[in-house]
Amino acid sequence: MAPPGRDQVRFAFQIGLDGPKALDAVLAASGTGFSPDGAEALADAVAPLWAGSRDRIAEVLAAATGPTALFVAARLAQQDGRRDEALAQFKALAAALPVPDAGVQIYMGRVATALGKMAEAVAAVRLGLSLDPSYGLHLKAEKLVRSLMRSPEWQPSRHLRLAILGTSTTALLAGPLVNACFRAGIAVELYQGAHGAWRQEILDSSSALHAFAPQAAILLVNSRDLALPPDGGRERMAEFCADLRHAWGELRARHDCHIIQVGFDRPGEGAWGTLEDQLPQGRRRVVDEANRILADDPPPGVVFLHPGRAASLLGGAFVSEREWMRSRQYPAVEALPLLADLIVAQCRAFLGLSAKVLALDLDNTLWGGVVAEDGIAGIVLGPPDPMGEAYQALQDHALELKARGVILAVCSKNNVADAQLPFREHDAMRLRLDDVVVFRANWDDKAANLSEVARQLDLGLDSIVFLDDNPVERAWVRDRLPQVTVVEGSSDPWTMRAALERGFHFETVALTEDDRNRHGSYRARAELTDLRQGGSTVEDFLADLGMTCHHGPVDTLTLSRVAQLIAKTNQFNLTTPRYSLGEVGDMAASSEWWCRWFRLADRFGDHGLTGLLFARRGETAWEIDTWLMSCRVLGRRMEDFMLGRLLAAAGDAGAVQVRARYLPTAKNAPVADLLPRLGFVAGGGEGEYVWDTARPAAPCPFIAEGSADVQR
Amino acid sequence: MDILFAVTKIFRELVGDDAVPVAMDTSPEDVPDWDSIVQLNLVLMTELEFAIRFATADMATIRTIGDLVRLVERYTGR
């Protein structure tokens, strides 16, 4: 039986039972279940009685077991200011729940903040916000999130000045947006334009918007702006879309900012019924066309976000005409958290914060049952079993992600032979062994295994998304490795897939050739790591790879990939500058700069544009400003090759010296000793190095010279 | 449940202050943080809490906490 909800709890306190008796009755009916609304209503009903009947209430709570009693006790402790006790009780409650609860997490964050336990508060609130909380819970979290963002313990990965420009009231979107940014590790500063004034603000060079100098702007429009009749209005629509596209150009020209254009919502029922879809000038058809115009080949830096994505994921209505009429609220308040998550997923993509790896459990995640016990014939996978089809659909989803450039890993408690058997022999398996780049099946704990996955791929833990049906494993990984994104939700294959999709973890701004090639590159990397552990010499392996490196100056064709690499490379990055697309374009066009891309190919395939080396040309000395490599080609000695080309170019230009320095960050320790290791000599100031161009670079026998003409 | 108690709880959450004094005659003049966004959210959250929906004309009459409490009484028939 489901635990009593809000209305039942209120009823129990209205029917004449005295308070403690009503509490007792509700707790008995709740048992081991937990209804967040019901528990909240119960705590609210007990709170005013607490002072008068302390002993009796305490007695009832002490006699009860189950999460509801823990919740009430925690709220009462919080009310009294007994914060340590409240925190302990919220934690006990969280441990007792099979799936974390957003409301409980937010209360926990609040108490932990009051106790000054900021790291704990950050973890609790981030988890709470990942559980798809309602708008009401977002509001509860917002003030807390803003204060956590100011605390020195919170270390954001990126900063972002974000402007919201819209034709509706956007004030209520701010809370969920700030919360979603916090969850993503983005320290956000928001600018909200006056509603409906986007044209003036963009065109007027003295506007507050321009003073704010946004790094990203959301343009939120809706189909009411077009004021379409049932049949007609295409001209007005085309004009409006042209205005929007013009606004993108103005904004990009002034601020070089990213633009997230939210498309038009589809109008609901109208007087002309199906004709609004069918007639060439029908209302819904014209709106569809508007979205096509906006989505069609947007210029670099602009992404189109279709509101239909939010509408189809949302349980309720995406637009509330009532809210629109009364406060120009668009979309419906309950749709705001989802819209905010979609927007921030785009921000993560252009900031280089999207996840790169999907780590999958096996038993009861990719198939039903336990292969080591049930045997290959006993596991549930594929039709006609509906569960079997659902597991298969989950595998299909993983394969689609792989095709898009997401790296697949396996992390399972199993013997390797058992774990790999279905991949080799089960007809209904969609995933095969060579789809998986790192396969970890053993009896070590999963946090250790995920750390190993990250190590083998040379990626940060924050690029991993972990999917596992077992709530105990999920809690373990969340606790040990807070950087890993753990997909929460229930444990059946349908909801697991829905929760995975709902996280928008793997958004990318564009699909590049490199995304498609990524799987091959990382397989080669993983093989290299295995070889190192296996005792074969790295030299043999490198010689055997048959590598060729093409390189050329950064130009308009390579610009967007170059900007993407600059945004997301963390480890092999000597100075970690975060140049924008526009800045890179200016540098590449300037005669004061030598900006070169490098592209590596080997027998595993073409790894695409994976290295950048920028230097500032001086008369006598060149200075390395940017030197980075994608982690998928680390360990290939490509750095030797790159340095050789730079030294040759500098020498040819008459420079006698190349200067370089290392700027440490939290993540670039792998290149801390790069400069001395390559043969640079300490000189100049602290952390600075030089190379006299008279001295040739070390030979690089493993990599053959390619040409710049190769299609980039 | 006491309507004033529920409204007070919502209001305090919105202004981010557990201790701000709230009474029937509390108005935006008494609480500096009570801006138009708090007002909008206060009405929204009260509607959700009591599963009611105010008519637009009624919303315009809310000037104090007491106005909101009386409106809830009317809509819930308590």
Side-chain angles (χ1 to χ4, degrees), chain A residues 47-67:
Chain A
L49 311 172
W50 179 229
S53 343
R54 237 183 140 90
D55 294 346
R56 287 185 59 213
I57 290 173
E59 201 178 309
V60 172
L61 287 175
T65 52

Side-chain angles (χ1 to χ4, degrees), chain A residues 383-442:
Chain A
D385 187 306
M387 286 288 270
E389 287 196 55
Y391 285 113
Q392 208 174 37
L394 184 62
Q395 293 196 14
D396 282 332
H397 183 61
L399 273 179
E400 287 178 15
L401 287 172
K402 179 204 149 196
R404 248 246 351 246
V406 174
I407 301 159
L408 302 183
V410 159
C411 181
S412 163
K413 283 189 177 161
N414 251 315
N415 294 320
V416 179
D418 291 332
Q420 295 194 341
L421 197 62
F423 287 85
R424 294 185 204 282
E425 294 181 9
H426 200 294
D427 290 342
M429 273 302 279
R430 293 294 166 86
L431 289 166
R432 294 292 163 187
L433 278 181
D434 56 8
D435 295 318
V436 179
V437 176
V438 182
F439 199 105
R440 305 284 306 170
N442 54 46

Side-chain angles (χ1 to χ4, degrees), chain A residues 10 40 110 135 143, chain B residues 9 13-14 41 47 49:
Chain A
R10 286 192 188 147
E40 182 78 35
R110 209 177 276 182
Y135 176 74
K143 286 246 158 40
Chain B
K9 182 182 164 198
E13 297 260 10
L14 289 174
N41 279 321
E47 286 183 330
E49 179 73 26

Side-chain angles (χ1 to χ4, degrees), chain A residues 334-405:
Chain A
E334 284 302 340
L336 290 171
L338 193 50
L339 181 63
D341 283 354
L342 275 166
I343 289 169
V344 173
Q346 304 308 317
C347 297
R348 284 206 320 263
F350 62 66
L351 292 171
L353 295 174
S354 286
K356 300 181 179 115
V357 183
L358 175 60
L360 297 154
D361 169 52
L362 298 178
D363 292 329
N364 289 314
T365 298
L366 288 190
W367 54 73
V370 176
V371 66
E373 289 166 15
D374 303 330
I376 188 150
I379 61 174
V380 179
L381 183 61
D385 187 306
M387 286 288 270
E389 287 196 55
Y391 285 113
Q392 208 174 37
L394 184 62
Q395 293 196 14
D396 282 332
H397 183 61
L399 273 179
E400 287 178 15
L401 287 172
K402 179 204 149 196
R404 248 246 351 246

